[in-house]
Amino acid sequence: MKDNYLRLNQLAVDGKTVLLRADLNVPILETQGTSIDMIDQRLRATIPTIDYLLSKGCKIVLCSHLGRPGGVVDPKLSMKPIADRLSILINKPIECLPGCIGPDVRTIVEAMTSGELVMLENLRFHPGEEKNDSEFATELAKLADVFVLEAFGTAHRRHASIVGVPNLLPSAPGILLQSELSMLGKVLETPTRPLAAILGGAKISDKIKILDNLLDKLDLLVIGGGMASNFLKAKGLNIGKSLVEDDGEQLAREIITRSATLKVELSLPIDIIVGNEFKSAPEIVKTVAIDEIEDNFMILDIGPKTISLFSKQLSRSKTILWNGPLGVCEFDMFSKGTKNVAENLAGLDAFSIIGGGSTASAIEELGISDRLGYISTGGGAMLEFLEGKVLPGVSALSQHSN
Ligand code: AMP
């Protein structure tokens, strides 16, 4: 693991213009015409770094991507509502600029005074961002004296604002990124045992890679969500129309064998909630034992007996890593498994690290985040870190002070 990068307090920032690459890619839920509600955990998470930079008299040029506009301008994905919300949270004006590079943007930034903030428009409106185009990175770098990377959730992407800019400016991780890296690093190297992992969500092929690096360190592995369907199928059970990946059954079988060899306790659902359709309120919804799934039904959440089983098994753990929801938690009706297990974890004397956008959002709604240890803003980045990879954004950061 690379941790020889400069720390934020070693980067000379006093009075400088700082390009702060944050991860402000928050879900925006449009309600009633123009009013916009956002789940703003990611915005709040950036505030300590903003406060630190303001205390050093910096001018802050915030930037982030929002959604997937694919290199073209999409007004629905403007950073303006994000700038407005963040402005309320920090109680300071934040002007959203008309673009992210170019002479007009530069003129505004050059006129900024100490303690002012601006927000660049969505970085992914520009095709150079995702292509890591060197000219685009150079234009971004021209806006500032130093660069701070706060975007843990995007630090695994080789994009211009993640890996291009830190090659051109003195750089350091922000407070949030630093704490995510320290926290996850500790879990990999010196976890307080017993160590459990909960894996849910849809993509077994993504999650399986972390088990290559993690399985031999675990005492307990709990499987829920769409992941579980692959395991139940591998055990010869009928899973009806449940979501599985092409090679998911084979991958699950390998984990079952390796867990047994390594003496890792493997816990799978014993009952589940099934529906006849993939929608928020299917026509038929039932709770059934895992050997009672009918052909035209699909698994949408774990059942009440499984919630109790998982919670009891997890209660023996001291460190719990969780990535991916235990059911289709975007639909209220199928978010109980994720929410009830999270509530039970909040009551334990254990440190839980939870990652992944949909899991984090479901837990955010419960308002129990502060009793859970740590909610990571990055799903994919957390997985790559746990796979033992160095995140490209982190390896691009400066090693020597400016
Ligand atoms: P991932 O990105 O792999 O963590 O997957 C997150 C997604 O998994 C969420 O959008 C959930 O709706 C979805 N999910 C969780 N459980 C299931 C399930 N049983 N069937 C289908 N999708 C699921």
Side-chain angles (χ1 to χ4, degrees):
M1 194 191 324
K2 183 195 152 176
D3 60 3
N4 54 347
Y5 47 80
L6 217 58
R7 301 305 197 251
L8 183 56
N9 61 8
Q10 296 168 317
L11 184 72
V13 295
D14 287 48
K16 295 195 172 170
T17 305
V18 182
L19 184 65
L20 175 56
R21 188 1 173 150
D23 191 348
L24 307 177
N25 181 32
V26 296
I28 298 183
L29 313 168
E30 289 214 38
T31 54
Q32 295 166 3
T34 54
S35 84
I36 292 176
D37 188 19
M38 289 179 284
I39 299 172
D40 56 15
Q41 183 220 353
R42 287 185 184 200
L43 270 56
R44 292 176 192 278
T46 312
I47 295 176
T49 296
I50 293 176
D51 284 345
Y52 173 81
L53 295 173
L54 289 175
S55 77
K56 299 282 179 185
C58 298
K59 301 161 217 170
I60 305 177
V61 179
L62 283 154
C63 64
S64 175
H65 70 285
L66 179 64
R68 297 186 173 175
V72 292
V73 175
D74 176 352
K76 289 201 292 299
L77 294 174
S78 168
M79 295 302 294
K80 172 88 172 60
I82 310 284
D84 291 347
R85 175 68 77 103
L86 188 57
S87 164
I88 292 169
L89 293 174
I90 64 169
N91 199 21
K92 269 180 104 49
I94 303 178
E95 184 186 354
C96 183
L97 305 191
C100 45
I101 55 166
D104 292 352
V105 169
R106 247 189 345 263
T107 305
I108 299 172
V109 171
E110 278 162 12
M112 285 169 73
T113 56
S114 172
E116 280 189 340
L117 299 100
V118 294
M119 173 88 72
L120 301 184
E121 191 43 287
N122 192 339
L123 292 166
R124 290 191 189 166
F125 283 179
H126 201 288
E129 167 64 356
E130 288 179 83
K131 288 190 194 130
N132 189 17
D133 176 67
S134 59
E135 261 177 52
F136 181 62
T138 305
E139 286 297 311
L140 283 175
K142 277 186 195 162
L143 297 172
D145 308 309
V146 294
F147 174 73
V148 172
L149 181 67
E150 192 61 306
F152 178 74
T154 327
H156 60 313
R157 306 255 185 235
R158 289 180 195 281
H159 294 170
S161 68
I162 302 291
V163 295
V165 179
N167 277 324
L168 302 165
L169 291 178
S171 56
I175 293 166
L176 169 68
L177 177 61
Q178 180 66 65
S179 69
E180 304 238 34
L181 295 171
S182 308
M183 203 82 72
L184 290 172
K186 182 177 178 298
V187 170
L188 276 188
E189 280 151 31
T190 50
T192 310
R193 308 196 77 99
L195 172 65
I198 309 175
L199 294 184
K203 289 172 242 112
I204 186 169
S205 49
D206 279 0
K207 313 259 152 95
I208 218 83
K209 291 186 223 131
I210 69 168
L211 290 178
D212 286 342
N213 192 34
L214 201 67
L215 193 61
D216 63 351
K217 300 186 177 78
L218 292 181
D219 300 291
L220 169 68
L221 173 60
V222 170
I223 305 282
M227 287 275 290
S229 310
N230 299 281
F231 281 79
L232 299 178
K233 193 168 175 207
K235 291 202 153 240
L237 292 157
N238 179 25
I239 54 160
K241 299 192 288 187
S242 302
L243 174 90
V244 279
E245 277 181 47
D246 285 348
D247 53 355
E249 189 181 340
Q250 177 56 28
L251 293 172
R253 206 169 285 128
E254 283 165 24
I255 296 300
I256 292 171
T257 311
R258 281 182 56 214
S259 305
T261 313
L262 293 166
K263 300 199 165 39
V264 176
E265 186 181 4
L266 174 64
S267 185
L268 298 173
I270 49 175
D271 65 342
I272 49 225
I273 315 251
V274 293
N276 64 334
E277 302 165 284
F278 190 87
K279 59 199 278 200
S280 55
E283 193 194 344
I284 313 174
V285 176
K286 321 191 230 191
T287 304
V288 296
I290 45 162
D291 56 0
E292 288 171 358
I293 305 171
E294 294 162 71
D295 285 346
N296 54 345
F297 281 81
M298 65 186 78
I299 302 175
L300 294 167
D301 199 3
I302 54 171
K305 289 187 185 142
T306 303
I307 293 172
S308 303
L309 173 75
F310 284 179
S311 300
K312 186 165 164 232
Q313 288 169 320
L314 288 162
S315 69
R316 299 191 288 266
S317 302
K318 287 286 173 216
T319 309
I320 299 160
L321 268 171
W322 183 355
N323 193 295
L326 302 177
V328 185
C329 62
E330 295 88 344
F331 300 152
D332 241 13
M333 195 184 259
F334 307 114
S335 66
K336 274 205 195 75
T338 305
K339 288 182 175 169
N340 288 359
V341 170
E343 268 162 355
N344 290 334
L345 293 194
L348 296 181
D349 178 24
F351 191 77
S352 309
I353 298 181
I354 302 172
S358 42
T359 323
S361 305
I363 291 168
E364 164 96 342
E365 276 176 37
L366 296 173
I368 55 169
S369 311
D370 55 335
R371 287 191 285 132
L372 275 166
Y374 200 74
I375 315 269
S376 169
T377 51
M382 174 177 166
L383 289 177
E384 284 204 14
F385 189 96
L386 294 174
E387 279 167 34
K389 289 188 189 158
V390 180
L391 301 175
V394 175
S395 59
L397 294 173
S398 301
Q399 295 181 22
H400 306 288
S401 54
N402 50 331

